[in-house]
Amino acid sequence: MDARLRRLQKEVADLRKDTTSQVTIELVDESYLHLLGSFPGPPDTPYAGGTYEVDIVIPPSYPFSPPKMKFLTRLYHPNVSSASGAICLDILKDAWSPVLTLKSTMISLQSLLCSPEPSDPQDAEVAKHYMASREGFEETARYWAEIYAGAPAKKSKTGKEKAAPPVVDEIAASGLNAAH
């Protein structure tokens, strides 16, 4: 068994034992080279309450090059392509180090949801919305969390839970206001 596979087996086993991070990784088709990761949306963000899945493909040169990751769960974020799930994060490119693990990388993705970097976007339109109207951006991100990540409906100002919309409002999902 090669060193890459031994390392991957250890990383996955360590994550399965970990009960504090809430990050999970499962094998796809019983292969350590294709994985499915997930984590909860961070509290006090528009993503809170949702569950975010990430497709992970391990390259032959791992751990000397980063895993290839993309979000399978759609989310509205400047550093994630709303169309493909591609992620703009330095550790998935030139800042990767063999010291990093799948767990630390997944936690970095979770942290990215707490602090978007609109100056280095993957999705320029979402970044523009973030810069122009933080409140509008957060409303749209929360809406996407509800319809795509299973986040509970936000409470209304009266304290009652709003009913989740039965169908996707394409205007709101695009970050637009119907009046405009």
Side-chain angles (χ1 to χ4, degrees), residues 11 25 39 53-59 61-71 79-81 85-98 100-113 120 122:
E11 286 189 41
I25 290 190
F39 59 83
E53 292 188 336
V54 179
D55 183 62
I56 306 166
V57 176
I58 307 298
S61 53
Y62 183 84
F64 302 105
S65 61
K68 304 215 179 310
M69 295 182 158
K70 72 175 185 175
F71 276 97
N79 306 107
V80 178
S81 168
I87 304 163
C88 182
L89 182 63
D90 61 351
I91 64 167
L92 292 177
K93 296 177 185 154
D94 56 341
W96 174 259
S97 165
L100 296 170
T101 63
L102 294 172
K103 177 182 173 180
S104 63
T105 306
M106 290 291 290
I107 290 171
S108 293
L109 290 180
Q110 189 179 38
S111 295
L112 183 65
L113 300 188
D120 185 22
Q122 177 69 36

Side-chain angles (χ1 to χ4, degrees), residues 2-167:
D2 70 357
R4 172 180 66 145
L5 190 54
R6 280 194 307 274
R7 175 174 164 155
L8 286 165
Q9 287 175 332
K10 181 179 180 344
E11 286 189 41
V12 170
D14 288 349
L15 252 172
R16 286 184 176 156
K17 291 178 199 167
D18 176 10
T19 58
T20 58
S21 71
Q22 297 183 303
V23 170
T24 64
I25 290 190
E26 299 299 326
L27 306 181
V28 174
D29 296 328
E30 299 181 35
S31 170
Y32 282 90
L33 304 179
H34 189 197
L35 307 162
L36 177 67
S38 71
F39 59 83
D44 302 321
T45 69
Y47 311 100
T51 301
Y52 298 88
E53 292 188 336
V54 179
D55 183 62
I56 306 166
V57 176
I58 307 298
S61 53
Y62 183 84
F64 302 105
S65 61
K68 304 215 179 310
M69 295 182 158
K70 72 175 185 175
F71 276 97
L72 295 175
T73 306
R74 292 189 66 190
L75 70 153
Y76 195 75
H77 190 283
N79 306 107
V80 178
S81 168
S82 53
S84 70
I87 304 163
C88 182
L89 182 63
D90 61 351
I91 64 167
L92 292 177
K93 296 177 185 154
D94 56 341
W96 174 259
S97 165
V99 173
L100 296 170
T101 63
L102 294 172
K103 177 182 173 180
S104 63
T105 306
M106 290 291 290
I107 290 171
S108 293
L109 290 180
Q110 189 179 38
S111 295
L112 183 65
L113 300 188
C114 295
S115 52
E117 295 291 335
S119 59
D120 185 22
Q122 177 69 36
D123 193 316
E125 289 302 314
V126 177
K128 195 161 80 174
H129 189 199
Y130 180 90
M131 300 292 272
S133 170
R134 181 74 64 90
E135 185 178 320
F137 163 80
E138 288 184 0
E139 284 178 17
T140 303
R142 178 76 194 151
Y143 182 73
W144 280 44
E146 291 172 15
I147 61 174
Y148 298 119
K154 186 178 178 184
K155 299 223 184 244
S156 69
K157 291 179 181 171
T158 62
K160 294 182 180 179
E161 197 169 284
K162 292 181 184 176
V167 294

